[in-house]
Amino acid sequence: MAAETNSITSEELLDLLELNERDHVADLGCGTGFLTIPIARIVSTDVHAVDLDRGALEELKRRAEELQVENILYEHMSFEYIRFSQNTLHKVITRFVLHELPNLVKVIQDLRDDGLWLIIETEALSKGNSLSSDDLVRKLQSAGYEVERGYLRSTIYYLIARKAVRRSGL
């Protein structure tokens, strides 16, 4: 799997995010900033970089300073417990971290009604550690999300989840 994940480019993922300059974005499980820095270069708002690994966040901060990227908020915490102002996030991205969380949908309760959640995961982990795309799609749909599924590589899938829009009069 490592070879497959290494072959995914930030450009491929940024295309899926459909970023606008004014988007408020959270990169949950950001690591050393594979996507955080490219996102921060596109948006004019602050990007929330959230990770449990303090060392990864420090490396991200060092790299951002070196590249003179200043619109990143570094948040050392589990994103199960993070709270943003309600209905403020336009875009959220998670890469290869949801399989570790017990309550997946609670993670994004602050996504705007017109927001987009990009999930990158793999079905190639050992039994019990992987998160099948079918299971995740069912969980998201039961929580009120419309979901588009695709594959970046043979074992790496993406989901684009949007809150289902209720239409009056139908």
Side-chain angles (χ1 to χ4, degrees):
M1 182 189 76
E4 279 200 327
T5 59
N6 290 339
S7 68
I8 296 172
T9 66
S10 59
E11 291 80 12
E12 285 179 275
L13 301 179
L14 291 173
D15 285 346
L16 294 171
L17 263 179
E18 304 170 10
L19 287 174
N20 294 310
E21 182 183 353
R22 293 186 188 148
D23 281 344
H24 291 267
V25 182
D27 185 357
L28 305 182
C30 64
T32 59
F34 174 73
L35 284 175
T36 312
I37 290 173
I39 290 169
R41 287 180 161 165
I42 294 171
V43 301
S44 60
T45 61
D46 287 331
V47 176
H48 296 272
V50 182
D51 206 292
L52 262 178
D53 184 342
R54 188 179 305 276
L57 284 172
E58 288 173 8
E59 175 63 16
L60 167 56
K61 188 173 186 177
R62 184 195 65 72
R63 289 181 56 231
E65 288 172 356
E66 186 177 287
L67 297 168
Q68 299 178 331
V69 175
E70 299 175 356
N71 59 327
I72 298 173
L73 300 174
Y74 305 92
E75 302 179 45
H76 175 247
M77 66 180 65
S78 168
F79 44 85
E80 287 179 90
Y81 304 107
I82 195 166
R83 293 284 302 155
F84 299 99
S85 297
Q86 188 172 6
N87 204 27
T88 58
L89 294 174
H90 296 98
K91 309 286 170 63
V92 173
I93 184 163
T94 54
R95 284 185 324 117
F96 307 115
V97 294
L98 288 186
H99 61 272
E100 299 175 12
L101 298 178
N103 189 349
L104 304 176
V105 177
K106 180 182 177 279
V107 171
I108 343 267
Q109 56 197 4
D110 301 317
L111 187 64
R112 289 172 51 100
D113 288 341
D114 59 348
L116 178 150
W117 179 12
L118 176 60
I119 300 163
I120 309 299
E121 275 295 334
T122 181
E123 295 176 290
L125 297 173
S126 63
K127 211 65 158 163
N129 286 335
S130 64
L131 182 59
S132 84
S133 58
D134 289 338
D135 289 345
L136 188 48
V137 166
R138 276 192 295 277
K139 287 179 183 182
L140 289 165
Q141 287 174 335
S142 70
Y145 288 89
E146 294 175 349
V147 183
E148 172 189 332
R149 176 181 8 200
Y151 284 84
L152 294 164
R153 302 295 181 270
S154 62
T155 61
I156 299 172
Y157 65 88
Y158 70 86
L159 301 177
I160 296 175
R162 300 175 194 270
K163 287 186 180 178
V165 178
R166 299 186 195 279
R167 294 182 178 91
S168 59
L170 295 180

